[in-house]
Amino acid sequence: MAAVAHSQQTSAPEKSPLDKLSLVDGSVDIQDLHTSAARLSLAENATVDGSADPVKTPFINPSSQTKLPTTPLLTDEQSTKYSKLLSIVQDWTTKPSSTPNASASPITDSDRMWLSYECLLRYLRATRWEVQQAAIRLQATLTWRHEYGLESHTPEYISPENATGKQVLLGYDIARRPCLYLNPGKQNTERSNKQVEHLVFMLERTLDLLPAGQETLALLINFDKKMGGDRPPLWQGKQALNILQSHYPERLGRALVFNIPWVVWTFLKLINPFIDPATREKIKYDQDLRQFVPPSQLLKTYGGDVNFVYEHDVYWPALNELARKKRAAMTERWVEAGKKVGESEHYLRGGEKSREDGKI
């Protein structure tokens, strides 16, 4: 019988680590641990397709050299304000239109899941714990997400914008923030609103890959000094900045910027007044990036050890399938937990328990 069982196992087709991923937090089903694919998905610095040198697809998990930050518990006053905001949000059945006299749209399950415990706290922190202001901003973001068409921006629609790898989501920094690399020197399309849609799409995919216990992301921006006078127009920079600050508050954990040519410095000086002080403090210029990202998950072009080759037909479907599985996992856990407004992202991303009033 043992020989038969062995024959059955060896005849099964090999799968990539992505095929064996459990839908929660990049782990694998315990029943599949005997397969080489599953072992690979648990290995240090494993990638979606198993590539190593060169790396061609995203890393599945953060490096063992990383550590989640400690999240402080809420004070009694903060808990009270959170409860007030939660009570307001739970009563919402529609989201307003930004067009005067237009009909409101119904709140969807996607909206309710987005209105998580951590989401409400992010908006409270962004408004300095002013409950009514937090509610106003939450409604504005719900309206923006609907009218901007986030869910209609499919991988196929965005794909041409990323054909040259001008944005790459790969690896995690020392605090387990997923790293989104921006490479303006690889610009391949004419200036348009679709370039901003591309950035928003990649921000959403970056958030899909957050591990349990982390809410923020890391931006790594390499301004190729050969860019010369080719810089984004001021209107585009202001539009992107407005979206980030208005609809993704408290999401930027760190921004690492280097190789800045003089023309970009000029652009940064122009846009600097529009950057809020809290965001400005998170931006680091021309520093050794190895102190912020483990070298084993940092691109060589940024000073790390990772020999990464961008092949769009390989990377793009791998990234989007990994993100899709992560979203499916969160949705499944949210439904199983009762489809509640105020559910914990920590739980939805694979954490052991739901958070309630600042406790895990």
Side-chain angles (χ1 to χ4, degrees):
M1 292 294 293
V4 173
H6 177 73
S7 174
Q8 290 174 339
Q9 289 180 3
T10 55
S11 63
E14 280 294 330
K15 297 182 178 181
S16 77
L18 182 59
D19 292 321
K20 282 299 182 184
L21 285 178
S22 120
L23 294 180
V24 177
D25 206 23
S27 60
V28 296
D29 190 300
I30 194 168
Q31 296 179 352
D32 294 321
L33 289 178
H34 64 279
T35 67
S36 61
R39 287 197 299 272
L40 181 57
S41 69
L42 290 175
E44 182 80 356
N45 301 321
T47 58
V48 168
D49 68 343
S51 59
D53 191 12
V55 167
K56 295 184 178 181
T57 57
F59 292 112
I60 295 171
N61 293 315
S63 164
S64 61
Q65 303 171 44
T66 61
K67 184 179 180 181
L68 286 170
T70 301
T71 303
L73 296 178
L74 300 183
T75 65
D76 290 343
E77 181 182 7
Q78 289 170 342
S79 292
T80 298
K81 290 186 175 184
Y82 168 78
S83 296
K84 288 180 179 179
L85 181 59
L86 177 62
S87 180
I88 292 171
V89 170
Q90 286 174 328
D91 288 339
W92 291 346
T93 58
T94 61
K95 47 184 178 275
S97 170
S98 63
T99 303
N101 303 318
S103 300
S105 302
I107 293 287
T108 66
D109 277 354
S110 178
D111 296 329
R112 293 185 183 94
M113 190 171 112
W114 179 79
L115 291 165
S116 65
Y117 169 81
E118 288 87 347
C119 177
L120 270 59
L121 288 180
R122 286 192 291 271
Y123 279 73
L124 280 168
R125 291 194 299 268
T127 56
R128 300 185 181 182
W129 297 90
E130 292 290 337
V131 174
Q132 291 301 325
Q133 284 302 309
I136 290 170
R137 284 192 58 178
L138 280 165
Q139 276 201 327
T141 295
L142 284 173
T143 297
W144 172 80
R145 291 174 69 87
H146 172 66
E147 296 180 350
Y148 198 68
L150 285 189
E151 295 183 6
S152 67
H153 295 167
T154 63
E156 294 74 22
Y157 172 71
I158 296 295
S159 177
E161 285 290 333
N162 212 65
T164 58
K166 66 188 177 189
Q167 294 188 30
V168 171
L169 176 50
L170 189 82
Y172 297 79
D173 77 357
I174 57 174
R176 299 188 182 175
R177 302 181 185 98
C179 295
L180 177 59
Y181 293 83
L182 307 184
N183 303 300
K186 295 185 177 181
Q187 184 58 262
N188 64 317
T189 58
E190 296 296 324
R191 293 170 181 170
S192 68
N193 286 328
K194 193 171 182 180
Q195 291 180 343
V196 180
E197 292 173 347
H198 175 219
L199 174 61
V200 172
F201 179 89
M202 293 300 285
L203 287 173
E204 289 287 323
R205 300 297 74 76
T206 305
L207 298 179
D208 286 338
L209 301 194
L210 285 168
Q214 180 54 269
E215 298 179 49
T216 63
L217 56 87
L219 289 180
L220 290 81
I221 309 174
N222 181 5
F223 285 104
D224 188 335
K225 292 191 176 182
K226 294 179 290 184
M227 286 177 67
D230 187 16
R231 60 172 173 79
L234 185 59
W235 69 264
Q236 193 178 67
K238 289 172 64 177
Q239 181 186 10
L241 188 62
N242 178 63
I243 288 173
L244 291 172
Q245 293 183 162
S246 299
H247 305 303
Y248 295 88
E250 303 284 312
R251 282 301 204 180
L252 180 64
R254 180 171 286 130
L256 306 170
V257 187
F258 77 118
N259 280 344
I260 308 174
W262 69 267
V263 69
V264 175
W265 272 120
T266 302
F267 174 75
L268 292 174
K269 288 178 181 178
L270 289 172
I271 206 167
N272 193 60
F274 302 100
I275 304 175
D276 69 66
T279 300
R280 202 177 298 133
E281 290 177 1
K282 298 172 183 177
I283 305 174
K284 306 293 182 183
Y285 297 100
D286 288 326
Q287 298 199 19
D288 179 5
L289 304 190
R290 295 168 72 95
Q291 64 182 308
F292 302 107
V293 182
S296 62
Q297 293 201 358
L298 178 65
L299 298 186
K300 278 189 175 181
T301 50
Y302 285 71
D305 298 339
V306 179
N307 178 23
F308 176 76
V309 174
Y310 187 81
E311 294 181 8
H312 188 65
D313 291 343
V314 176
Y315 175 87
W316 193 245
L319 167 66
N320 285 289
E321 179 63 6
L322 179 60
R324 184 194 66 78
K325 287 199 170 191
K326 295 277 190 176
R327 291 196 304 276
M330 292 183 66
T331 302
E332 181 179 340
R333 287 172 73 87
W334 183 70
V335 171
E336 289 177 350
K339 301 172 71 171
K340 295 184 296 184
V341 169
E343 185 56 83
S344 164
E345 292 172 16
H346 181 269
Y347 165 73
L348 296 179
R349 296 188 188 280
E352 292 297 321
K353 299 178 182 178
S354 297
R355 291 183 176 185
E356 293 182 7
D357 298 328
K359 299 179 180 179
I360 300 177

